[in-house]
Amino acid sequence: MNVISLRDYAAQKGISYEAVRQQVVRYKDELEGHIIKDGRQQFLDEEAISFLDAKRQKNPVTIIQQNKDEELEMLRQQKEALLVKVAEQGDKLDALHTKIEDMLQLQIDAKAATLALEAATAREGELRQAAQSAQERAAEAEKRVAEVLAEVEAARAEAAAASAALQEERNRKLSWRERFLGRKDQ
């Protein structure tokens, strides 16, 4: 016994599956016992096929079905190609997002470096001012030390002069009165 599915029968005759299904429903009583059901799928035996062919010849209206299988396959291929393109575009977008994130990180790093440089420059200016102030104070201290050294030298010179005067006074000959009464500065 040779059986064929409704879909295969429709493809052989060049009609739609729906037309075959409607024919089977319309002639359900006449085809009883010649339609084999396997789950939800229906199969036609040889007698059912010849019966439907005879009914189809009486009813010359046929629906020409274009080869939809080829069109469906073409659409599937186009869909696959588009999915591949979408995946490629997604990969490109991911790469661009990564690049953008890297660029943003570089900008953040550059901004941080700029801020650090500005802070270092400001600190350098403060240190230069402090160094200049320290140099000025050192110059003033050196000037004061020079003044104090000059005063010390003057005092030493005075002390030396006084010591020389005292020594001269000691070495001079005593006058009669000083000898008799004694020296005043012993």
Side-chain angles (χ1 to χ4, degrees):
M1 176 186 278
N2 193 11
V3 293
I4 189 171
S5 70
L6 296 180
R7 190 167 306 278
D8 291 340
Y9 177 75
Q12 282 179 1
K13 300 301 178 186
I15 58 175
S16 69
Y17 168 80
E18 189 61 27
V20 174
R21 192 192 64 76
Q22 285 177 357
Q23 240 185 341
V24 168
V25 169
R26 186 177 310 125
Y27 301 115
K28 181 179 178 183
D29 296 334
E30 290 89 349
L31 292 172
E32 192 171 319
H34 299 289
I35 296 180
I36 303 159
K37 288 188 178 183
D38 183 21
R40 294 183 64 194
Q41 194 170 13
Q42 296 180 3
F43 295 94
L44 303 172
D45 66 3
E46 293 173 1
E47 287 185 38
I49 292 171
S50 53
F51 177 79
L52 290 176
D53 285 344
K55 291 295 182 180
R56 189 146 279 303
Q57 286 176 359
K58 288 182 185 176
N59 191 358
V61 177
T62 59
I63 299 173
I64 298 173
Q65 179 182 7
Q66 296 174 345
N67 196 351
K68 291 187 179 182
D69 290 337
E70 290 175 10
E71 188 176 332
L72 280 174
E73 186 59 32
M74 183 182 70
L75 290 174
R76 281 189 188 114
Q77 289 173 356
Q78 286 177 354
K79 177 183 137 190
E80 290 298 321
L82 289 174
L83 286 174
V84 168
K85 284 183 181 179
V86 166
E88 289 173 357
Q89 294 297 325
D91 291 343
K92 285 181 183 177
L93 280 175
D94 288 343
L96 285 175
H97 283 299
T98 303
K99 260 188 181 176
I100 288 171
E101 288 173 358
D102 291 345
M103 288 178 153
L104 287 175
Q105 187 60 44
L106 287 174
Q107 284 180 339
I108 289 169
D109 292 346
K111 185 66 175 175
T114 302
L115 291 175
L117 180 63
E118 289 174 359
T121 304
R123 179 72 178 137
E124 179 189 13
E126 292 172 3
L127 291 175
R128 283 182 191 263
Q129 287 179 348
Q132 186 178 5
S133 175
Q135 284 178 343
E136 289 172 0
R137 286 193 309 262
E140 287 176 17
E142 285 178 11
K143 186 178 175 184
R144 180 73 181 128
V145 165
E147 289 173 0
V148 168
L149 283 177
E151 288 176 9
V152 166
E153 278 303 313
R156 277 188 187 162
E158 249 180 63
S163 176
L166 179 63
Q167 190 65 32
E168 190 178 308
E169 181 65 28
R170 282 187 182 166
N171 290 337
R172 100 176 145 83
K173 288 189 177 189
L174 295 175
S175 67
W176 180 84
R177 182 171 189 236
E178 288 173 336
R179 277 187 225 158
F180 181 69
L181 293 176
R183 278 191 175 181
K184 291 183 184 179
D185 58 296
Q186 285 182 341

